[in-house]
Amino acid sequence: MKQKIRWITETAVMLALLVALQAITKPLGQLVTGSCVNAILAIAVLVGGMSCGITVALISPIFAFLLGIAPNFITVLPIMLGNACFVALLRLIAGKSHKPLWRQPVALMSAAGVKFAVLYLLVVQLICGVASDSLLGKKLGQVVLLAPPMLQALPTMFAWPQLLTALIGGGIALVTVPMLRKALKK
């Protein structure tokens, strides 16, 4: 019972911190907000464990959309998948605090690379590719699923900035996590 309460508490704190950082940093742009989000995702999985990290990773894009940070609802699912890959790979490679220190940068680079690849393939190649080549980019009745300005913005947003923000946020987390583990006696 204590473990379940601790998990709920840690996950709730990570989600609250995530939402607060998204709201506060939104005016500062994708580089700052994305780095903060990735830092929270990495801290959640490295301190709270796999289930905490996955939960935060899946809920984060929903709040990003509600706060107007995610550019379009069609991107929420790919962001969820990218975030989940990021935290899962980070946890699987970096592991717990007793793992060798060299595994952490390898885990971060691998996790950031996979997140970038997932988002690039799903958003830039699949969604934007299909949208520009089919009816998704045009009016379907009276509904425009992806307007031309969005089709131009998404490839930039879901390319190299995703890799950069994952590396920056993960790097912040790798520096912060040992202090948090010590404070939480983990």
Side-chain angles (χ1 to χ4, degrees):
M1 184 68 157
K2 279 186 177 182
Q3 284 183 330
K4 190 171 187 171
I5 292 171
R6 184 175 185 135
W7 179 86
I8 291 169
T9 304
E10 288 175 346
T11 304
V13 167
M14 290 291 115
L15 285 169
L17 188 56
L18 179 103
V19 171
L21 283 171
Q22 284 177 326
I24 291 168
T25 63
K26 179 183 175 185
L28 301 176
Q30 181 181 5
L31 184 63
V32 175
T33 303
S35 297
C36 290
V37 167
N38 283 299
I40 297 301
L41 293 175
I43 290 168
V45 76
L46 294 173
V47 174
M50 186 68 85
S51 60
C52 176
I54 294 289
T55 302
V56 175
L58 295 177
I59 294 174
S60 167
I62 296 168
F63 283 114
F65 177 73
L66 294 174
L67 291 168
I69 297 167
N72 190 304
F73 188 72
I74 201 166
T75 62
V76 169
L77 190 57
I79 296 170
M80 285 178 170
L81 187 57
N83 285 351
C85 289
F86 178 70
V87 297
L89 202 53
L90 190 58
R91 179 64 179 207
L92 291 173
I93 298 172
K96 297 185 180 187
S97 60
H98 64 274
K99 299 286 183 177
L101 191 58
W102 65 266
R103 290 178 76 163
Q104 292 179 350
V106 170
L108 174 58
M109 288 184 282
S110 300
V114 167
K115 179 178 181 173
F116 160 75
V118 166
L119 289 171
Y120 184 81
L121 290 171
L122 291 178
V123 176
V124 177
Q125 295 298 312
L126 183 64
I127 293 173
C128 291
V130 168
S132 63
D133 292 341
S134 73
L135 294 176
L136 287 178
K138 298 177 175 78
K139 286 190 178 183
L140 218 70
Q142 292 296 329
V143 179
V144 175
L145 297 177
L146 281 176
M150 186 62 64
L151 279 173
Q152 292 174 342
L154 288 179
T156 302
M157 295 173 70
F158 287 91
W160 67 268
Q162 295 299 325
L163 179 62
L164 186 59
T165 59
L167 288 169
I168 292 170
I172 291 167
L174 292 182
V175 171
T176 308
V177 163
M179 293 178 278
L180 288 172
R181 284 183 175 153
K182 187 175 182 181
L184 295 170
K185 295 180 173 75
K186 283 192 160 198

